Amino acid sequence: MSVENDLHRDANLLAAFIDRRLEDRHSLHGVAQHLDTCEECLEIVGGTVAYARDHPVARGGAVPRWLPMSLAAAVIVVAGLGGWMVWRARFADPVAPLIQAVDLVAERPLQARLDRFDWAPLVVRRTGADERRDADLLSARAAAAELLQKTAEGSTAQQQHAAGVAALISGNTSSAIGHLERAVALDPSSARYWSDLSAALYELANSDETALTKALAAADRALSVSPEFPAALFNRGLILEALGRGESAATAYETLDRVDPGSPWTVEAVRRAKRLRERS
C-alpha cells in the first residue's frame, strides 16, 4: 500500500512528519503528495503547527510529543466516523477571513502589530471622507463586524480572541480589550493572545502612562511565553518608545532583525531603532 493511502490508517506516520522525525525520503515524498490532495490532513498539520507556535512549553519552544500524536490520531477518528465537519468547526481559525480582508487594505488600520496580519504602511492622519472612499477598508470593517457578531458571546479563548481582534479592526478599542482580556484569562499560555492584547492596550493608551504600563505588561507576558515572538517584540518597542524609554525600545526593535529578518515589520522596526539611536 502506498504511503499516501496509508496515512489515514497510520497516525504515527503523520505524527512523525509533524514532529520532524520522518527521515525516510520515500515516506517524506508520500506524505507531501498526500497533503497536496487531502484537505483534512493538511489542515490538521497546519493546526498542529499553529498550536505549537502559540503554546510553546519551554523557552526553546519544544513541542510536546503527545500533541502531534493526538492530532494525527484524529485523522483516523474523523475519517472513520464521518466527523470531519465537527473537527473543522472546532479547530478552524475564525480570524483567517478577517486577515485576508485586512491584507487588501493599502494602509494598516493600527499602529501596533496584530499577529499574522501583513505589514502595510501606516497613515497617521486620515479623514472620515478618505475612509468612506476606501472600498477595501470598508470591506475589512464589514468582515470585522461579521466576525464580532459570530464570536462576541463565545465561551472559548479562541472565540474571545477573535472577537477582540474584530472589535479592534472595527475601531472599538475598549470592547476589544475586554474580549482579549477574557481570552488570556481562559488561555494564559497563548503568546498570540497576550501580544494582541498589548496591541489593543497600546492603541487605547495614546500617551497615558498607566495604560502604556499595562500594554507593556501584556507584551512582556507574551514574551515570557515565547521569548522571540515577533509581534510582541514590535509592540514592546512601540510601547517603550511611547514611554520615552528610547534605548530599551531600540533594543526591542533590533531584536527583530535577528528573530524575524527580512520581514517588512522588521524593516520598519529597524528604521525606528535607527531614528532612536540617532536621537540619543
Side-chain angles (χ1 to χ4, degrees):
M1 182 178 293
S2 69
V3 172
E4 304 99 288
N5 293 332
D6 205 34
L7 273 169
H8 283 306
R9 294 173 173 81
D10 186 357
N12 290 329
L13 188 62
L14 187 57
F17 177 81
I18 296 171
D19 207 21
R20 299 181 183 181
R21 293 182 285 105
L22 197 60
E23 297 179 356
D24 177 67
R25 295 187 66 179
H26 173 71
S27 297
L28 280 169
H29 180 69
V31 173
Q33 283 190 324
H34 179 80
L35 293 178
D36 192 44
T37 58
C38 181
E39 182 182 358
E40 291 96 331
C41 290
L42 182 61
E43 290 203 26
I44 289 174
V45 169
T48 305
V49 172
Y51 187 95
R53 181 187 62 222
D54 296 343
H55 299 76
V57 296
R59 287 186 64 86
V63 180
R65 293 287 175 178
W66 58 263
L67 177 62
M69 290 293 186
S70 298
L71 290 180
V75 178
I76 297 175
V77 175
V78 297
L81 300 179
W84 167 244
M85 293 310 294
V86 175
W87 171 271
R88 188 186 185 106
R90 171 66 180 82
F91 288 97
D93 181 5
V95 182
L98 178 57
I99 293 174
Q100 293 174 356
V102 172
D103 285 350
L104 297 175
V105 182
E107 299 98 15
R108 72 180 190 257
L110 308 171
Q111 186 170 6
R113 178 177 179 179
L114 289 170
D115 186 46
R116 297 180 299 162
F117 283 74
D118 284 348
W119 180 88
L122 177 69
V123 176
V124 178
R125 294 180 181 175
R126 194 173 197 185
T127 68
D130 290 334
E131 293 188 352
R132 287 191 292 273
R133 285 194 296 267
D134 190 333
D136 288 333
L137 180 60
L138 292 175
S139 295
R141 288 188 170 165
E146 181 180 359
L147 177 59
L148 183 59
Q149 184 178 25
K150 290 179 178 178
T151 57
E153 302 301 321
S155 59
T156 69
Q158 184 186 55
Q159 289 169 322
Q160 285 301 307
H161 170 257
V165 171
L168 193 55
I169 296 298
S170 298
N172 192 339
T173 309
S174 296
S175 175
I177 291 169
H179 288 295
L180 290 167
E181 286 178 337
R182 285 190 283 276
V184 298
L186 288 165
D187 184 4
S189 67
S190 172
R192 173 179 297 159
Y193 297 173
W194 283 109
S195 180
D196 287 352
L197 175 58
S198 77
L201 287 165
Y202 172 83
E203 293 293 328
L204 182 68
N206 292 320
S207 58
D208 184 299
E209 186 171 346
T210 301
L212 286 170
T213 301
K214 291 180 179 178
L216 181 60
D220 285 345
R221 184 65 181 269
L223 292 169
S224 73
V225 175
S226 181
E228 296 184 343
F229 201 76
L233 285 167
F234 185 91
N235 292 337
R236 189 172 195 273
L238 286 179
I239 297 160
L240 289 168
E241 186 176 352
L243 285 167
R245 295 163 59 181
E247 182 72 23
S248 297
T251 299
Y253 288 141
E254 289 163 350
T255 303
L256 280 165
D257 202 25
R258 175 175 58 83
V259 303
D260 193 21
S263 163
W265 289 103
T266 299
V267 172
E268 179 180 328
V270 170
R271 186 171 63 246
R272 287 175 175 273
K274 182 178 179 182
R275 187 182 68 243
L276 289 169
R277 297 289 187 198
E278 289 171 349
R279 290 177 183 173
S280 61

PDB file of all heavy atoms in Angstrom, residues 14-45:
ATOM      1  N   LEU A  14       1.870  10.274  10.157  1.00  0.00           N
ATOM      2  CA  LEU A  14       1.601  11.704  10.084  1.00  0.00           C
ATOM      3  C   LEU A  14       2.182  12.419  11.301  1.00  0.00           C
ATOM      4  O   LEU A  14       2.704  13.529  11.187  1.00  0.00           O
ATOM      5  CB  LEU A  14       0.093  11.954   9.992  1.00  0.00           C
ATOM      6  CG  LEU A  14      -0.332  13.411   9.750  1.00  0.00           C
ATOM      7  CD1 LEU A  14       0.308  13.958   8.491  1.00  0.00           C
ATOM      8  CD2 LEU A  14      -1.849  13.508   9.646  1.00  0.00           C
ATOM      9  N   ALA A  15       2.110  11.787  12.466  1.00  0.00           N
ATOM     10  CA  ALA A  15       2.680  12.390  13.674  1.00  0.00           C
ATOM     11  C   ALA A  15       4.184  12.584  13.521  1.00  0.00           C
ATOM     12  O   ALA A  15       4.739  13.616  13.910  1.00  0.00           O
ATOM     13  CB  ALA A  15       2.383  11.516  14.884  1.00  0.00           C
ATOM     14  N   ALA A  16       4.855  11.594  12.930  1.00  0.00           N
ATOM     15  CA  ALA A  16       6.301  11.703  12.734  1.00  0.00           C
ATOM     16  C   ALA A  16       6.637  12.842  11.777  1.00  0.00           C
ATOM     17  O   ALA A  16       7.627  13.549  11.957  1.00  0.00           O
ATOM     18  CB  ALA A  16       6.848  10.380  12.198  1.00  0.00           C
ATOM     19  N   PHE A  17       5.800  13.016  10.761  1.00  0.00           N
ATOM     20  CA  PHE A  17       6.013  14.113   9.818  1.00  0.00           C
ATOM     21  C   PHE A  17       5.858  15.461  10.525  1.00  0.00           C
ATOM     22  O   PHE A  17       6.688  16.360  10.378  1.00  0.00           O
ATOM     23  CB  PHE A  17       4.997  14.000   8.672  1.00  0.00           C
ATOM     24  CG  PHE A  17       5.080  15.126   7.678  1.00  0.00           C
ATOM     25  CD1 PHE A  17       6.028  15.123   6.674  1.00  0.00           C
ATOM     26  CD2 PHE A  17       4.191  16.192   7.751  1.00  0.00           C
ATOM     27  CE1 PHE A  17       6.107  16.164   5.757  1.00  0.00           C
ATOM     28  CE2 PHE A  17       4.253  17.235   6.842  1.00  0.00           C
ATOM     29  CZ  PHE A  17       5.221  17.222   5.841  1.00  0.00           C
ATOM     30  N   ILE A  18       4.796  15.601  11.322  1.00  0.00           N
ATOM     31  CA  ILE A  18       4.556  16.845  12.042  1.00  0.00           C
ATOM     32  C   ILE A  18       5.688  17.122  13.026  1.00  0.00           C
ATOM     33  O   ILE A  18       6.137  18.257  13.186  1.00  0.00           O
ATOM     34  CB  ILE A  18       3.208  16.777  12.797  1.00  0.00           C
ATOM     35  CG1 ILE A  18       2.053  16.658  11.804  1.00  0.00           C
ATOM     36  CG2 ILE A  18       3.008  18.004  13.680  1.00  0.00           C
ATOM     37  CD1 ILE A  18       0.720  16.359  12.451  1.00  0.00           C
ATOM     38  N   ASP A  19       6.173  16.079  13.663  1.00  0.00           N
ATOM     39  CA  ASP A  19       7.177  16.208  14.715  1.00  0.00           C
ATOM     40  C   ASP A  19       8.609  16.182  14.175  1.00  0.00           C
ATOM     41  O   ASP A  19       9.556  16.125  14.943  1.00  0.00           O
ATOM     42  CB  ASP A  19       6.998  15.069  15.728  1.00  0.00           C
ATOM     43  CG  ASP A  19       7.491  15.445  17.117  1.00  0.00           C
ATOM     44  OD1 ASP A  19       7.591  16.646  17.402  1.00  0.00           O
ATOM     45  OD2 ASP A  19       7.773  14.526  17.908  1.00  0.00           O
ATOM     46  N   ARG A  20       8.757  16.202  12.838  1.00  0.00           N
ATOM     47  CA  ARG A  20      10.066  16.235  12.185  1.00  0.00           C
ATOM     48  C   ARG A  20      10.922  15.020  12.521  1.00  0.00           C
ATOM     49  O   ARG A  20      12.135  15.119  12.683  1.00  0.00           O
ATOM     50  CB  ARG A  20      10.816  17.530  12.544  1.00  0.00           C
ATOM     51  CG  ARG A  20      10.089  18.783  12.112  1.00  0.00           C
ATOM     52  CD  ARG A  20      10.872  20.024  12.452  1.00  0.00           C
ATOM     53  NE  ARG A  20      10.129  21.220  12.088  1.00  0.00           N
ATOM     54  CZ  ARG A  20      10.576  22.462  12.247  1.00  0.00           C
ATOM     55  NH1 ARG A  20      11.772  22.667  12.766  1.00  0.00           N
ATOM     56  NH2 ARG A  20       9.842  23.506  11.902  1.00  0.00           N
ATOM     57  N   ARG A  21      10.273  13.870  12.639  1.00  0.00           N
ATOM     58  CA  ARG A  21      11.006  12.643  12.923  1.00  0.00           C
ATOM     59  C   ARG A  21      10.989  11.689  11.739  1.00  0.00           C
ATOM     60  O   ARG A  21      11.469  10.566  11.833  1.00  0.00           O
ATOM     61  CB  ARG A  21      10.401  11.945  14.153  1.00  0.00           C
ATOM     62  CG  ARG A  21      10.594  12.710  15.451  1.00  0.00           C
ATOM     63  CD  ARG A  21      10.028  11.963  16.654  1.00  0.00           C
ATOM     64  NE  ARG A  21       8.565  12.020  16.697  1.00  0.00           N
ATOM     65  CZ  ARG A  21       7.758  11.028  16.386  1.00  0.00           C
ATOM     66  NH1 ARG A  21       8.240   9.873  15.977  1.00  0.00           N
ATOM     67  NH2 ARG A  21       6.447  11.169  16.474  1.00  0.00           N
ATOM     68  N   LEU A  22      10.442  12.134  10.613  1.00  0.00           N
ATOM     69  CA  LEU A  22      10.320  11.278   9.434  1.00  0.00           C
ATOM     70  C   LEU A  22      11.533  11.528   8.536  1.00  0.00           C
ATOM     71  O   LEU A  22      11.644  12.574   7.899  1.00  0.00           O
ATOM     72  CB  LEU A  22       9.017  11.602   8.698  1.00  0.00           C
ATOM     73  CG  LEU A  22       8.518  10.569   7.684  1.00  0.00           C
ATOM     74  CD1 LEU A  22       8.271   9.234   8.364  1.00  0.00           C
ATOM     75  CD2 LEU A  22       7.240  11.068   7.032  1.00  0.00           C
ATOM     76  N   GLU A  23      12.459  10.562   8.493  1.00  0.00           N
ATOM     77  CA  GLU A  23      13.717  10.760   7.783  1.00  0.00           C
ATOM     78  C   GLU A  23      13.764  10.022   6.448  1.00  0.00           C
ATOM     79  O   GLU A  23      14.555  10.378   5.573  1.00  0.00           O
ATOM     80  CB  GLU A  23      14.884  10.316   8.667  1.00  0.00           C
ATOM     81  CG  GLU A  23      15.005  11.142   9.956  1.00  0.00           C
ATOM     82  CD  GLU A  23      16.142  10.687  10.836  1.00  0.00           C
ATOM     83  OE1 GLU A  23      16.791   9.672  10.482  1.00  0.00           O
ATOM     84  OE2 GLU A  23      16.399  11.344  11.868  1.00  0.00           O
ATOM     85  N   ASP A  24      12.961   8.984   6.288  1.00  0.00           N
ATOM     86  CA  ASP A  24      12.971   8.222   5.041  1.00  0.00           C
ATOM     87  C   ASP A  24      12.437   9.076   3.890  1.00  0.00           C
ATOM     88  O   ASP A  24      11.322   9.599   3.952  1.00  0.00           O
ATOM     89  CB  ASP A  24      12.112   6.960   5.206  1.00  0.00           C
ATOM     90  CG  ASP A  24      12.022   6.175   3.917  1.00  0.00           C
ATOM     91  OD1 ASP A  24      13.053   5.631   3.481  1.00  0.00           O
ATOM     92  OD2 ASP A  24      10.910   6.141   3.346  1.00  0.00           O
ATOM     93  N   ARG A  25      13.214   9.229   2.818  1.00  0.00           N
ATOM     94  CA  ARG A  25      12.837  10.131   1.732  1.00  0.00           C
ATOM     95  C   ARG A  25      11.571   9.654   1.014  1.00  0.00           C
ATOM     96  O   ARG A  25      10.752  10.469   0.593  1.00  0.00           O
ATOM     97  CB  ARG A  25      13.986  10.260   0.729  1.00  0.00           C
ATOM     98  CG  ARG A  25      15.219  10.928   1.326  1.00  0.00           C
ATOM     99  CD  ARG A  25      16.279  11.202   0.293  1.00  0.00           C
ATOM    100  NE  ARG A  25      15.833  12.190  -0.682  1.00  0.00           N
ATOM    101  CZ  ARG A  25      16.585  12.623  -1.692  1.00  0.00           C
ATOM    102  NH1 ARG A  25      17.808  12.150  -1.854  1.00  0.00           N
ATOM    103  NH2 ARG A  25      16.120  13.513  -2.531  1.00  0.00           N
ATOM    104  N   HIS A  26      11.406   8.353   0.883  1.00  0.00           N
ATOM    105  CA  HIS A  26      10.202   7.828   0.242  1.00  0.00           C
ATOM    106  C   HIS A  26       8.965   8.190   1.053  1.00  0.00           C
ATOM    107  O   HIS A  26       7.942   8.620   0.503  1.00  0.00           O
ATOM    108  CB  HIS A  26      10.304   6.312   0.088  1.00  0.00           C
ATOM    109  CG  HIS A  26       9.048   5.671  -0.418  1.00  0.00           C
ATOM    110  ND1 HIS A  26       8.595   5.814  -1.715  1.00  0.00           N
ATOM    111  CD2 HIS A  26       8.121   4.906   0.234  1.00  0.00           C
ATOM    112  CE1 HIS A  26       7.458   5.156  -1.862  1.00  0.00           C
ATOM    113  NE2 HIS A  26       7.142   4.592  -0.693  1.00  0.00           N
ATOM    114  N   SER A  27       9.062   8.037   2.371  1.00  0.00           N
ATOM    115  CA  SER A  27       7.930   8.374   3.232  1.00  0.00           C
ATOM    116  C   SER A  27       7.640   9.868   3.205  1.00  0.00           C
ATOM    117  O   SER A  27       6.484  10.289   3.159  1.00  0.00           O
ATOM    118  CB  SER A  27       8.210   7.920   4.665  1.00  0.00           C
ATOM    119  OG  SER A  27       8.358   6.515   4.727  1.00  0.00           O
ATOM    120  N   LEU A  28       8.697  10.685   3.249  1.00  0.00           N
ATOM    121  CA  LEU A  28       8.515  12.136   3.175  1.00  0.00           C
ATOM    122  C   LEU A  28       7.803  12.535   1.894  1.00  0.00           C
ATOM    123  O   LEU A  28       6.873  13.359   1.902  1.00  0.00           O
ATOM    124  CB  LEU A  28       9.868  12.837   3.263  1.00  0.00           C
ATOM    125  CG  LEU A  28      10.484  13.008   4.653  1.00  0.00           C
ATOM    126  CD1 LEU A  28      11.930  13.470   4.540  1.00  0.00           C
ATOM    127  CD2 LEU A  28       9.674  14.009   5.472  1.00  0.00           C
ATOM    128  N   HIS A  29       8.215  11.945   0.783  1.00  0.00           N
ATOM    129  CA  HIS A  29       7.594  12.255  -0.506  1.00  0.00           C
ATOM    130  C   HIS A  29       6.130  11.825  -0.497  1.00  0.00           C
ATOM    131  O   HIS A  29       5.248  12.540  -0.990  1.00  0.00           O
ATOM    132  CB  HIS A  29       8.358  11.556  -1.634  1.00  0.00           C
ATOM    133  CG  HIS A  29       7.795  11.816  -2.996  1.00  0.00           C
ATOM    134  ND1 HIS A  29       7.859  13.048  -3.610  1.00  0.00           N
ATOM    135  CD2 HIS A  29       7.121  11.003  -3.859  1.00  0.00           C
ATOM    136  CE1 HIS A  29       7.268  12.983  -4.796  1.00  0.00           C
ATOM    137  NE2 HIS A  29       6.816  11.759  -4.972  1.00  0.00           N
ATOM    138  N   GLY A  30       5.864  10.658   0.084  1.00  0.00           N
ATOM    139  CA  GLY A  30       4.490  10.169   0.128  1.00  0.00           C
ATOM    140  C   GLY A  30       3.586  11.056   0.957  1.00  0.00           C
ATOM    141  O   GLY A  30       2.453  11.350   0.573  1.00  0.00           O
ATOM    142  N   VAL A  31       4.092  11.507   2.116  1.00  0.00           N
ATOM    143  CA  VAL A  31       3.299  12.403   2.956  1.00  0.00           C
ATOM    144  C   VAL A  31       3.035  13.718   2.222  1.00  0.00           C
ATOM    145  O   VAL A  31       1.922  14.243   2.234  1.00  0.00           O
ATOM    146  CB  VAL A  31       4.016  12.673   4.302  1.00  0.00           C
ATOM    147  CG1 VAL A  31       3.273  13.744   5.091  1.00  0.00           C
ATOM    148  CG2 VAL A  31       4.110  11.392   5.118  1.00  0.00           C
ATOM    149  N   ALA A  32       4.070  14.249   1.571  1.00  0.00           N
ATOM    150  CA  ALA A  32       3.907  15.507   0.834  1.00  0.00           C
ATOM    151  C   ALA A  32       2.856  15.369  -0.261  1.00  0.00           C
ATOM    152  O   ALA A  32       2.019  16.260  -0.459  1.00  0.00           O
ATOM    153  CB  ALA A  32       5.244  15.940   0.244  1.00  0.00           C
ATOM    154  N   GLN A  33       2.880  14.246  -0.980  1.00  0.00           N
ATOM    155  CA  GLN A  33       1.876  14.021  -2.025  1.00  0.00           C
ATOM    156  C   GLN A  33       0.477  13.922  -1.436  1.00  0.00           C
ATOM    157  O   GLN A  33      -0.485  14.448  -1.998  1.00  0.00           O
ATOM    158  CB  GLN A  33       2.222  12.744  -2.807  1.00  0.00           C
ATOM    159  CG  GLN A  33       3.344  12.917  -3.811  1.00  0.00           C
ATOM    160  CD  GLN A  33       3.468  11.695  -4.704  1.00  0.00           C
ATOM    161  OE1 GLN A  33       3.264  10.561  -4.264  1.00  0.00           O
ATOM    162  NE2 GLN A  33       3.782  11.915  -5.966  1.00  0.00           N
ATOM    163  N   HIS A  34       0.382  13.229  -0.313  1.00  0.00           N
ATOM    164  CA  HIS A  34      -0.926  13.074   0.328  1.00  0.00           C
ATOM    165  C   HIS A  34      -1.472  14.426   0.782  1.00  0.00           C
ATOM    166  O   HIS A  34      -2.648  14.745   0.570  1.00  0.00           O
ATOM    167  CB  HIS A  34      -0.818  12.123   1.519  1.00  0.00           C
ATOM    168  CG  HIS A  34      -2.107  11.928   2.247  1.00  0.00           C
ATOM    169  ND1 HIS A  34      -3.098  11.075   1.788  1.00  0.00           N
ATOM    170  CD2 HIS A  34      -2.593  12.487   3.390  1.00  0.00           C
ATOM    171  CE1 HIS A  34      -4.126  11.119   2.616  1.00  0.00           C
ATOM    172  NE2 HIS A  34      -3.844  11.972   3.602  1.00  0.00           N
ATOM    173  N   LEU A  35      -0.629  15.229   1.397  1.00  0.00           N
ATOM    174  CA  LEU A  35      -1.072  16.540   1.888  1.00  0.00           C
ATOM    175  C   LEU A  35      -1.475  17.457   0.744  1.00  0.00           C
ATOM    176  O   LEU A  35      -2.288  18.361   0.915  1.00  0.00           O
ATOM    177  CB  LEU A  35       0.023  17.191   2.725  1.00  0.00           C
ATOM    178  CG  LEU A  35       0.364  16.511   4.049  1.00  0.00           C
ATOM    179  CD1 LEU A  35       1.507  17.233   4.737  1.00  0.00           C
ATOM    180  CD2 LEU A  35      -0.850  16.456   4.965  1.00  0.00           C
ATOM    181  N   ASP A  36      -0.911  17.208  -0.430  1.00  0.00           N
ATOM    182  CA  ASP A  36      -1.246  18.039  -1.596  1.00  0.00           C
ATOM    183  C   ASP A  36      -2.670  17.792  -2.069  1.00  0.00           C
ATOM    184  O   ASP A  36      -3.266  18.635  -2.744  1.00  0.00           O
ATOM    185  CB  ASP A  36      -0.257  17.750  -2.728  1.00  0.00           C
ATOM    186  CG  ASP A  36      -0.350  18.767  -3.846  1.00  0.00           C
ATOM    187  OD1 ASP A  36      -0.429  19.978  -3.545  1.00  0.00           O
ATOM    188  OD2 ASP A  36      -0.352  18.359  -5.027  1.00  0.00           O
ATOM    189  N   THR A  37      -3.226  16.640  -1.706  1.00  0.00           N
ATOM    190  CA  THR A  37      -4.566  16.303  -2.189  1.00  0.00           C
ATOM    191  C   THR A  37      -5.589  16.107  -1.075  1.00  0.00           C
ATOM    192  O   THR A  37      -6.773  15.980  -1.350  1.00  0.00           O
ATOM    193  CB  THR A  37      -4.515  14.997  -3.023  1.00  0.00           C
ATOM    194  OG1 THR A  37      -3.990  13.941  -2.211  1.00  0.00           O
ATOM    195  CG2 THR A  37      -3.642  15.178  -4.254  1.00  0.00           C
ATOM    196  N   CYS A  38      -5.146  16.086   0.180  1.00  0.00           N
ATOM    197  CA  CYS A  38      -6.050  15.798   1.302  1.00  0.00           C
ATOM    198  C   CYS A  38      -6.197  17.041   2.179  1.00  0.00           C
ATOM    199  O   CYS A  38      -5.304  17.367   2.971  1.00  0.00           O
ATOM    200  CB  CYS A  38      -5.525  14.628   2.124  1.00  0.00           C
ATOM    201  SG  CYS A  38      -6.609  14.209   3.516  1.00  0.00           S
ATOM    202  N   GLU A  39      -7.309  17.721   2.049  1.00  0.00           N
ATOM    203  CA  GLU A  39      -7.539  18.952   2.806  1.00  0.00           C
ATOM    204  C   GLU A  39      -7.608  18.676   4.298  1.00  0.00           C
ATOM    205  O   GLU A  39      -7.129  19.466   5.121  1.00  0.00           O
ATOM    206  CB  GLU A  39      -8.842  19.610   2.349  1.00  0.00           C
ATOM    207  CG  GLU A  39      -9.140  20.924   3.050  1.00  0.00           C
ATOM    208  CD  GLU A  39     -10.459  21.522   2.593  1.00  0.00           C
ATOM    209  OE1 GLU A  39     -11.106  20.926   1.705  1.00  0.00           O
ATOM    210  OE2 GLU A  39     -10.834  22.574   3.132  1.00  0.00           O
ATOM    211  N   GLU A  40      -8.184  17.531   4.671  1.00  0.00           N
ATOM    212  CA  GLU A  40      -8.318  17.224   6.088  1.00  0.00           C
ATOM    213  C   GLU A  40      -6.959  17.144   6.772  1.00  0.00           C
ATOM    214  O   GLU A  40      -6.705  17.807   7.788  1.00  0.00           O
ATOM    215  CB  GLU A  40      -9.068  15.896   6.281  1.00  0.00           C
ATOM    216  CG  GLU A  40     -10.529  15.954   5.897  1.00  0.00           C
ATOM    217  CD  GLU A  40     -10.756  15.462   4.472  1.00  0.00           C
ATOM    218  OE1 GLU A  40      -9.830  15.617   3.657  1.00  0.00           O
ATOM    219  OE2 GLU A  40     -11.840  14.935   4.193  1.00  0.00           O
ATOM    220  N   CYS A  41      -6.062  16.336   6.196  1.00  0.00           N
ATOM    221  CA  CYS A  41      -4.751  16.160   6.820  1.00  0.00           C
ATOM    222  C   CYS A  41      -3.940  17.445   6.767  1.00  0.00           C
ATOM    223  O   CYS A  41      -3.203  17.760   7.703  1.00  0.00           O
ATOM    224  CB  CYS A  41      -3.991  15.031   6.127  1.00  0.00           C
ATOM    225  SG  CYS A  41      -4.696  13.392   6.452  1.00  0.00           S
ATOM    226  N   LEU A  42      -4.065  18.191   5.681  1.00  0.00           N
ATOM    227  CA  LEU A  42      -3.327  19.442   5.556  1.00  0.00           C
ATOM    228  C   LEU A  42      -3.738  20.422   6.648  1.00  0.00           C
ATOM    229  O   LEU A  42      -2.892  21.082   7.262  1.00  0.00           O
ATOM    230  CB  LEU A  42      -3.576  20.061   4.182  1.00  0.00           C
ATOM    231  CG  LEU A  42      -2.825  21.367   3.894  1.00  0.00           C
ATOM    232  CD1 LEU A  42      -1.321  21.135   3.953  1.00  0.00           C
ATOM    233  CD2 LEU A  42      -3.227  21.924   2.530  1.00  0.00           C
ATOM    234  N   GLU A  43      -5.045  20.513   6.921  1.00  0.00           N
ATOM    235  CA  GLU A  43      -5.492  21.446   7.957  1.00  0.00           C
ATOM    236  C   GLU A  43      -5.080  20.968   9.350  1.00  0.00           C
ATOM    237  O   GLU A  43      -4.806  21.778  10.231  1.00  0.00           O
ATOM    238  CB  GLU A  43      -7.008  21.645   7.870  1.00  0.00           C
ATOM    239  CG  GLU A  43      -7.418  22.419   6.632  1.00  0.00           C
ATOM    240  CD  GLU A  43      -8.770  23.088   6.786  1.00  0.00           C
ATOM    241  OE1 GLU A  43      -9.165  23.381   7.928  1.00  0.00           O
ATOM    242  OE2 GLU A  43      -9.433  23.313   5.773  1.00  0.00           O
ATOM    243  N   ILE A  44      -5.040  19.649   9.561  1.00  0.00           N
ATOM    244  CA  ILE A  44      -4.605  19.139  10.849  1.00  0.00           C
ATOM    245  C   ILE A  44      -3.124  19.440  11.072  1.00  0.00           C
ATOM    246  O   ILE A  44      -2.717  19.862  12.152  1.00  0.00           O
ATOM    247  CB  ILE A  44      -4.888  17.627  10.969  1.00  0.00           C
ATOM    248  CG1 ILE A  44      -6.395  17.403  11.104  1.00  0.00           C
ATOM    249  CG2 ILE A  44      -4.156  17.021  12.154  1.00  0.00           C
ATOM    250  CD1 ILE A  44      -6.805  15.960  11.090  1.00  0.00           C
ATOM    251  N   VAL A  45      -2.316  19.268  10.023  1.00  0.00           N
ATOM    252  CA  VAL A  45      -0.898  19.612  10.133  1.00  0.00           C
ATOM    253  C   VAL A  45      -0.744  21.098  10.432  1.00  0.00           C
ATOM    254  O   VAL A  45      -0.005  21.505  11.323  1.00  0.00           O
ATOM    255  CB  VAL A  45      -0.150  19.240   8.841  1.00  0.00           C
ATOM    256  CG1 VAL A  45       1.251  19.843   8.844  1.00  0.00           C
ATOM    257  CG2 VAL A  45      -0.056  17.732   8.697  1.00  0.00           C
TER     258      VAL A  45
END
